[in-house]
Amino acid sequence: MTPRKSLVGSLVHGRIIGNDRVRRTGLAVALVICAVLTVYPQNYRAAVSLTPSDPSTLGLSGTLSQLGAGANIFGNQTAIEVSLKVARSVYVRQLVARRVKLGERLGLNETQGLRWLEKNVDVRIMRGGIIEIEMVRRDGDFARDVVATYADAVREQLGVISREQTAYKRRILEQLVDQAAQRLDRAQAEFDTFRLNTRYGDPQSAVQEVAKKVPALDAQIEAKQSELNALRRFATDQNILVQRAQVELQELLRRRALAAEPQPQQRGSVGQVVQESTKGLRLRRELDVAQSLYDNYKRFLQGTSVEDLTSTANIRILEPAYVDPDRQYNLPALAIGLLLLLLGLAVEFYKLRPPPGEPRKAVQ
């Protein structure tokens, strides 16, 4: 039974490859051609390295925090993914194709130019959150212009996104500031009207004054009673001094009763002052809340101006566009050369050590 021939065995039994001289000469010529094509024509690798930046690295963290603009637009965890998405977007490729005049240089229409950029420009993430944009072409200057334009387009588009987000935030904050200002005006007007109607400059101090009035009247009543008792030791009730002391004591008692009246209808009483002071405290709290909201919204609104200033500081260029000085090899030609070399070595080994059962005349 004849054993099944392998691929190398089929090649060895061929008319051309079976001839050692022809095979070796052709293999040498093919290897020389592959070696030449590996080196020439020479390609140039152009690249640019960038990474998303944080405004705090610019020394603006204190200002941003004070003005309420400390939060990143995209969030720290997604900044790299957003930058990569923008770099690979169709809009960025359109900007690059238009700025480097890709249609004039390569004779491509817009759609073909976008496909050409997607195929020939590599945008990838490296370790440490570094984004690298590279391109390999025979024209090193052209490749460098393309990757530099890519970096500028990515920075510009991220700035546009940041400014649009800031503009949206500003519109919302302007509405909130306007509403807070109206609420503050109403609260201030109600509080001022209350103070004018009650003639209390400070409702809290008015409560304290009323609280001190009753003990003061008690002390005066006690002193007047002592005075009246002292007068009665030397005079009768018909004495003018005793009668005047009695009248004054009655007046003090009346005033003390009015001051201690719990009903709010009595002017100057504890009940009336407590009721009005409670309303005054409520209006004061509303005024404080309205003032706090207005101040906070105003601070956030001021922070949007700082965000506009830092909108273009979203990307740090680690390495400007450059042409790699290392020689670039044409990998397809190198791979073909290696495959031919391995195939030639396999044939030579097959010729030297044929498998068992192989006819000797077939390998001579």
Side-chain angles (χ1 to χ4, degrees), residues 68-100:
N72 190 285
I73 291 296
F74 306 110
N76 295 330
Q77 297 180 351
T78 60
I80 298 175
E81 287 78 4
V82 170
S83 301
L84 184 63
K85 177 62 178 178
V86 171
R88 292 176 176 174
S89 64
V90 176
Y91 182 75
V92 168
R93 278 184 280 155
Q94 290 176 342
L95 289 179
V96 174
R98 183 165 57 250
R99 292 178 181 179
V100 300

